[in-house]
Amino acid sequence: MSFYQWASIFGYTTAAFVSIAPLQAEAAKYQIQSGVTSVYHDLSFLSSIGLNLTGSDNTVTPINSDFIVGFGISSTTNFTFSDVGGFSQLSGTIQHTGTVTFNKEITIGNFSVGYDPTRAIKNASGLFLTIP
């Protein structure tokens, strides 16, 4: 499967409810502790490239019915960030549990989301997806 197809599958990650706690008494530093990343899959586009969503495992309810699947944020998440001067990651990744299956044979999931400021250009956020 090409990178373009993987990007299409998860490129529509658009919302997350997360539990965020301050790291210390310092203002504007936070660590994600739990939550849900809700993903919208463009099913008609995926079908046009031969991918049909045929199942999911260990997923959670997305934040609302506009999204197809929710991935739980794992307790092993160590993503910290600051909102000073806009969003800036300090360290870590957001670890997710759950998988989706396409065409009853391609299963992906249990992924991580990280941030690389050098990738934050034009319309790109700098967030990236790592699939084990």
Side-chain angles (χ1 to χ4, degrees), residues 18-116:
V18 294
S19 170
I20 301 172
L23 282 178
Q24 302 171 11
E26 293 181 37
K29 285 188 180 179
Y30 305 93
Q31 180 172 357
I32 294 176
Q33 295 181 327
S34 63
V36 174
T37 298
S38 295
V39 178
Y40 170 77
H41 298 294
D42 184 340
L43 295 178
S44 62
F45 172 76
L46 292 173
S47 182
S48 76
I49 61 171
L51 293 173
N52 296 298
L53 184 63
T54 55
S56 63
D57 185 45
N58 200 30
T59 57
V60 297
T61 303
I63 60 169
N64 66 43
S65 62
D66 292 336
F67 302 94
I68 292 177
V69 67
F71 292 95
I73 295 176
S74 171
S75 62
T76 59
T77 290
N78 61 355
F79 189 88
T80 61
F81 67 95
S82 172
D83 64 356
V84 173
F87 174 80
S88 62
Q89 182 198 13
L90 302 174
S91 65
T93 59
I94 303 171
Q95 305 290 328
H96 294 86
T97 59
T99 61
V100 291
T101 301
F102 296 91
N103 302 347
K104 296 183 182 179
E105 59 186 49
I106 303 167
T107 300
I108 55 174
N110 299 319
F111 61 93
S112 301
V113 174
Y115 177 75
D116 180 351

Side-chain angles (χ1 to χ4, degrees), residues 5-14 39-41 129:
Q5 290 170 324
W6 288 115
S8 297
I9 292 168
F10 285 102
Y12 296 103
T13 302
T14 57
V39 178
Y40 170 77
H41 298 294
L129 183 72

